[in-house]
Amino acid sequence: MHKFKKANFIVLTIVILTILLSGCELESSENFQDNIGDLVVHYIDIGQGDSIFIQLPNGETSLIDGGPRANSDVVVNYLKEMKIEKVDYLIATHPHEDHIGGLPEVVKNFEIGKIYMPDKVANTAIFESLLKEIKAKDLKISVPSSGEYLIDTDDLKYQVLAPNGEKYENTNDYSIVSKITFKDNSFLFTGDAEKTSEKEMIGKGYDLTADVLKVGHHGSSTSTTEEFLLKVDPDYGVISLAKDNKYGHPHKEIIELLNKKGIDILRTDELGNIIIKSDGKDIEILNGYSKENSIKETVYEEENYIGNKNTKIYHSPDCGSLPKEENQIIFKSKEEAEKEGFKPHEKCIK
């Protein structure tokens, strides 16, 4: 994999795009056509969640996740401003609201080719809403197998690398992990896959190397192990998250690890929409990035804990069993939670 070392660092063409959640024009109707033949990956500033739109060099498109329901208009407007009419490959990595919340509106507003979801259901209103919109258009859901290629040509490959198991304790480990390779460049998209899934991918012997890594689970310490990061060996790590989110993302340990490995960090809470283009040989960042952004010091606040008002159990912010948002109460410490009569969740609080 081509590494961008200081001695031969390719000068990045930085085009400052004024891209705000208020819906400013992206001037992308021309860009979409102009970029056919290139791979362009849009990490949409969706708040606390994931949504990645991909312009494939063969003229097709892919959308990985749709962010939270509250920001579904952000994804829909983003695609409409680009004059997108069809999403050829729609991937819902796993059934958490911050990843599938915007997808019902996407399915409703655009022509959809193939839909990929893991073999994991959720007893939530948003999951039911997504299934309803899929059924309304008489679309089918495919459950991909690890190792399966969605696209497999000499110059362009789109491969599924996870999940590799059939049953997980944590819903995050059901995340569909995929990799796009375009000639000499590659991008790895991890959803919220955590340590268990990362270990399985390593054990399978997959080629995990990538120039750009979508850092797992919004920069949580439950993902991106050092062993996994060594296998990926990226130049860039993209983190999708909201500013001042209640989970404390990105976690200090992950930022320190990325810095230790010399990986440039690009964050949607700092840069807004992050757009990266590849011609198959070189990678170009098309918006608001500077080297200083990737290494600036992050100030971390004390980690919060999330209680369930109904069960009187409190959880770590990364627990896979967090209560629905309307049932959550935030505590600044374990002591505060226990003073209010809450007990620790036996699986996530040590």
Side-chain angles (χ1 to χ4, degrees), residues 6 13 62 93 140 157 166 182 191 198 213 234 238 345 348:
K6 289 183 179 179
T13 303
S62 179
T93 59
K140 294 181 180 180
K157 298 182 186 298
E166 295 182 358
F182 177 41
E198 291 177 357
L213 168 68
V238 179
H345 186 239
C348 69

Side-chain angles (χ1 to χ4, degrees), residues 3 7 10 17 54 58 74 76 86 97 129 168 172 193 248 270 274 297 306 311 345:
K3 296 291 290 180
I10 297 174
L17 302 175
I54 303 164
N58 62 2
V74 176
V76 170
K86 181 179 181 181
E97 192 271 344
S129 178
Y168 298 97
N172 288 336
E270 295 178 345
I274 297 166
E297 204 170 310
I306 300 173
T311 64
H345 186 239

Side-chain angles (χ1 to χ4, degrees), residues 27-57:
E27 297 180 3
S28 304
S29 56
E30 296 108 354
N31 284 348
F32 179 67
Q33 297 301 325
D34 292 345
N35 287 323
I36 290 179
D38 293 324
L39 173 64
V40 186
V41 181
H42 304 246
Y43 301 84
I44 302 173
D45 182 13
I46 200 65
Q48 186 63 22
D50 269 18
S51 187
I52 304 167
F53 178 66
I54 303 164
Q55 298 169 239
L56 295 159

